[in-house]
Amino acid sequence: GTYCTHLAMASAFFAKTFAASAVVLAGERYLLSQFGSCCLLGGTTLEIPKLYSFVVLVNVVASTFVLLSLGFRVSAARKELSTQAKKKDDKDAEARFNYPKLYAEGFSEEAHKFNCVQRGHQQPLETYTSFVVASLIGGLKHPVITALAGLVWCAARLVWAEGYASGKPDNRYSHFLSVHVWSSMLVVLTAAVSTSLSWLTAWW
């Protein structure tokens, strides 16, 4: 249906964007290899451990796909619950669920359910920037722990949103993994602090 069409269009867009980005990045790498010595200024040497690649793959790439999947769920719920509301003779269903409204207005069962699904996507966005930045910093000194925390974050976010999408907000913490949306965040923040302190002590 419409959701499958949108998903196919999104997949094609991401595929084209990825291919174009790969070409641009390859070009940049070639240019830097040829002219890097004359266009890059000297600075502090930053050692990046080989295992840091797992931090990028998990805490940045995988976590992004987690958020994308939650976003697709919201789009599907918007369509599905709007249709259900119309079948119940909700004359304002079109205005209630349509873009650009972030949340559905009213106290109907469909509006409540949609808002729960939407909240399962919006809430992670509130701390996502801090999570990624802390991961990229903390992973420089603690790549294994940071990447493992990223795996836990991804899994916890999915089950947390699943519980919220049930329509009962309290269910967001019904799974044993759900609480780890916060513990994993604290781990990467701690890793970032540790990395920062190691730089500070090395400078002194």
Side-chain angles (χ1 to χ4, degrees), residues 8-178:
M9 291 174 61
S11 299
F13 172 79
F14 285 127
K16 291 178 181 178
T17 303
F18 176 80
S21 299
V23 172
V24 172
L25 292 173
E28 179 193 40
R29 183 163 184 171
Y30 172 77
L31 290 174
L32 289 179
S33 68
Q34 297 297 315
F35 309 106
S37 60
C38 66
C39 65
L40 295 180
L41 297 176
T44 303
T45 300
L46 181 65
E47 294 183 359
I48 299 178
K50 292 181 178 179
L51 292 177
Y52 188 74
S53 58
F54 289 107
V55 175
V56 176
L57 289 173
V58 176
N59 299 50
V60 179
V61 179
S63 66
T64 297
F65 279 104
V66 166
L67 293 182
L68 285 173
S69 70
L70 297 181
F72 285 137
R73 172 181 286 180
V74 173
S75 297
R78 188 185 295 273
K79 175 72 174 178
E80 178 186 349
L81 294 169
S82 176
T83 301
Q84 290 181 13
K86 290 176 183 178
K87 289 181 179 178
K88 291 184 178 181
D89 296 324
D90 183 352
K91 297 179 180 179
D92 298 319
E94 196 75 26
R96 193 186 310 281
F97 290 94
N98 267 6
Y99 294 104
K101 291 184 178 178
L102 190 62
Y103 293 99
E105 298 173 347
F107 301 96
S108 67
E109 179 183 351
E110 291 76 23
H112 175 75
K113 181 72 178 293
F114 173 75
N115 290 340
C116 285
V117 176
Q118 178 69 286
R119 188 60 186 157
H121 176 234
Q122 288 297 308
Q123 200 277 341
L125 296 176
E126 295 171 4
T127 55
Y128 185 63
T129 301
S130 295
F131 171 78
V132 170
V133 172
S135 295
L136 292 176
I137 295 173
L140 290 170
K141 292 293 182 181
H142 309 281
V144 176
I145 296 300
T146 302
L148 288 175
L151 282 174
V152 172
W153 186 93
C154 290
R157 275 299 172 192
L158 288 172
V159 298
W160 191 91
E162 184 70 30
Y164 221 145
S166 67
K168 298 179 180 179
D170 288 344
N171 285 351
R172 67 192 189 280
Y173 289 113
S174 60
H175 195 282
F176 78 93
L177 270 177
S178 298

